[in-house]
Amino acid sequence: MRVAHKGTCQGSQAGEFLYSLFNSLIKVPPSHAPRTPKDLPQAASFAVFETLCPSARMKQQSHVPLMDHPTVASRHLHNYLRTYRKKSAFSQREVAYLLGTRSDTKISRHECFARVPSLRTVFIYEVIYRVPARDLFVGVFERAHHETLKRVECLRQHLQNRPSDPVTTHKIKSLTSILTQSRASAHKAP
Amino acid sequence: MSRTWHEARVLAIDPTSKGFGFVVFAQSMHLLDWGVATLEHNREARTLVRINGLLGRYDPEVVILEKTGVRGCRRGERVMGLLTAITSLARSQHRNVRCVSRAQVRQAFSKRGARTKHEIAASIVELFPELFPRLPPYRKLWMSEDSRMAIFDAASFALAYFDAEMKTISSH
């Protein structure tokens, strides 16, 4: 049996090999059972995921065509702690020591976006990596920035509908300057 | 929101006999992450789980692998099967998969005077000094390949891909 994907990787008996290996490890559910030799590796990988990684549920597709243009929406990562740590050549344990914690689990959770660090920890990261917090936590910053601008716009519209007085005028001026300055400063990833 | 190739996040993977090496680039020349995963038992399944984790964490638009079944490819059947499985996994998540051959890598790095794997790795270190601590020592005839070389192999695939994309754009 031969597995071959058009225009990509080919492997003689590779599918058969994977299929027998995965079948020996786990029982492939009937819904994921391969129908053709071409489906073998995909079916095997789905079965493995459902066994080893239950949270990683994926939609099974018999054939997904190769896309010529990227369509997956891509934003900044939640944070770039791992990138800066690796650039500094520190291990997670060393960073844990610098943070004043015993284990490196906390660092791992911050880097995997599983946990949001405390304000104190953010400042320590800023000291360790010599990078402003908004550059370390670009994703968080951008989300907060976007949400705040929306609220600023809402509040400005609300105040504009009110009868005019010096205090309201001053507030509207402040809100307008927030919007102008924020739009002018475009933020870039590291 | 779609992104052009130079804005895309790219994950390059190089499976080895003991696990795999990977490199993540953002906006073409920003190195985001790199590393080697060494897996002992149930390697194929664990490799796919780890790669699925990387796909989830970095959400790359493009996944780059080695092109097999071409002249000069000396990959074993296990790795070829694994590459096919990784391709299926990436495509099931609607990600673009691009395969780069060793010949394309050599061609891309020939401009910098790098021909051997070690020279290519040294050339990558010149571009990305943060990879210097991971550069393995020069391999002697009696030595087996260092597992860290997988990082540089993955990086070379990604850089060859960027090189090919740049050529395509300039030719248009």
Side-chain angles (χ1 to χ4, degrees):
Chain A
M1 212 179 290
R2 189 180 174 83
V3 176
H5 277 265
K6 281 179 188 174
T8 57
C9 312
Q10 293 185 350
S12 66
Q13 299 182 346
E16 194 179 14
F17 167 72
L18 272 176
Y19 184 57
S20 59
L21 177 79
F22 291 142
N23 262 347
S24 65
L25 295 170
I26 42 109
K27 194 182 174 186
V28 180
S31 59
H32 293 155
R35 292 184 183 88
T36 62
K38 196 179 167 183
D39 295 333
L40 285 175
Q42 194 173 354
S45 63
F46 279 121
V48 164
F49 276 113
E50 294 212 343
T51 311
L52 294 178
C53 192
S55 59
R57 297 279 176 201
M58 299 180 300
K59 288 179 183 174
Q60 190 185 11
Q61 295 185 0
S62 57
H63 174 67
V64 180
L66 180 68
M67 291 176 290
D68 288 321
H69 301 288
T71 52
V72 179
S74 165
R75 291 172 298 171
H76 287 300
L77 294 180
H78 194 76
N79 66 57
Y80 289 87
L81 292 173
R82 186 182 289 255
T83 306
Y84 284 107
R85 179 177 61 78
K86 285 197 168 179
K87 281 186 178 173
S88 310
F90 290 138
S91 67
Q92 286 186 340
R93 190 162 289 179
E94 285 161 348
V95 174
Y97 173 75
L98 293 173
L99 279 177
T101 56
R102 282 180 193 171
S103 85
D104 49 6
T105 316
K106 195 172 160 184
I107 315 301
S108 173
R109 286 184 183 151
H110 293 159
E111 290 181 358
C112 293
F113 323 136
R115 193 165 149 181
V116 179
S118 67
L119 188 63
R120 184 180 171 275
T121 310
V122 170
F123 286 142
I124 298 175
Y125 278 133
E126 202 175 304
V127 172
I128 295 170
Y129 301 129
R130 289 148 290 155
V131 177
R134 62 181 275 178
D135 286 343
L136 280 174
F137 298 88
V138 178
V140 181
F141 174 80
E142 280 203 339
R143 204 172 304 130
H145 184 251
H146 181 72
E147 286 166 7
T148 311
L149 286 190
K150 266 186 178 175
R151 278 190 223 110
V152 167
E153 185 63 52
C154 280
L155 183 61
R156 191 176 70 152
Q157 282 176 3
H158 175 72
L159 291 174
Q160 277 172 343
N161 294 335
R162 273 169 134 190
S164 179
D165 64 81
V167 178
T168 312
T169 315
H170 189 73
K171 282 177 185 172
I172 291 170
K173 209 176 165 183
S174 301
L175 291 169
T176 312
S177 73
I178 290 171
L179 288 171
T180 332
Q181 280 178 16
S182 299
R183 281 168 190 162
S185 61
H187 197 79
K188 286 183 179 177
Chain B
M1 185 176 67
S2 66
R3 294 184 159 218
T4 51
W5 71 271
H6 57 86
E7 292 174 321
R9 212 172 286 149
V10 166
L11 168 67
I13 300 165
D14 181 50
T16 59
S17 57
K18 290 177 184 171
F20 68 96
F22 70 93
V23 162
V24 185
F25 282 97
Q27 302 191 344
S28 69
M29 292 300 263
H30 288 282
L31 199 51
L32 271 191
D33 197 4
W34 59 92
V36 183
T38 308
L39 308 153
E40 286 184 359
H41 308 292
N42 200 358
R43 265 177 298 167
E44 285 71 26
R46 282 172 189 270
T47 300
L48 289 174
V49 171
R50 292 285 288 267
I51 289 172
N52 189 52
L54 286 173
L55 292 172
R57 185 188 298 161
Y58 291 109
D59 192 21
E61 280 95 342
V62 186
V63 176
I64 300 171
L65 302 170
E66 183 179 350
K67 189 183 265 181
T68 56
V70 291
R71 196 167 168 267
C73 174
R74 299 173 67 190
R75 288 300 199 161
E77 284 187 7
R78 187 192 72 86
V79 170
M80 279 161 81
L82 195 54
L83 286 168
T84 312
I86 296 168
T87 306
S88 303
L89 172 65
R91 287 194 181 157
S92 71
Q93 297 181 10
H94 301 273
R95 298 181 201 282
N96 294 329
V97 178
R98 295 286 182 265
C99 295
V100 179
S101 66
R102 285 274 170 203
Q104 282 174 286
V105 171
R106 275 198 294 273
Q107 197 184 354
F109 282 90
S110 62
K111 295 169 215 162
R112 300 179 66 87
R115 290 183 304 145
T116 63
K117 275 184 118 176
H118 190 82
E119 284 170 356
I120 289 171
S123 181
I124 291 168
V125 167
E126 279 175 25
L127 291 168
F128 304 101
E130 55 265 42
L131 288 178
F132 178 72
R134 295 302 196 99
L135 182 68
Y138 186 79
R139 187 174 76 91
K140 304 279 172 49
L141 274 176
W142 58 88
M143 293 159 74
S144 56
E145 192 173 71
D146 196 298
S147 60
R148 289 171 293 180
M149 191 50 95
I151 299 173
F152 295 93
D153 283 340
S156 68
F157 293 140
L159 294 171
Y161 162 76
F162 294 138
D163 187 61
E165 290 290 322
M166 269 166 78
K167 272 183 193 165
T168 313
I169 286 171
S170 58
S171 67
H172 283 297

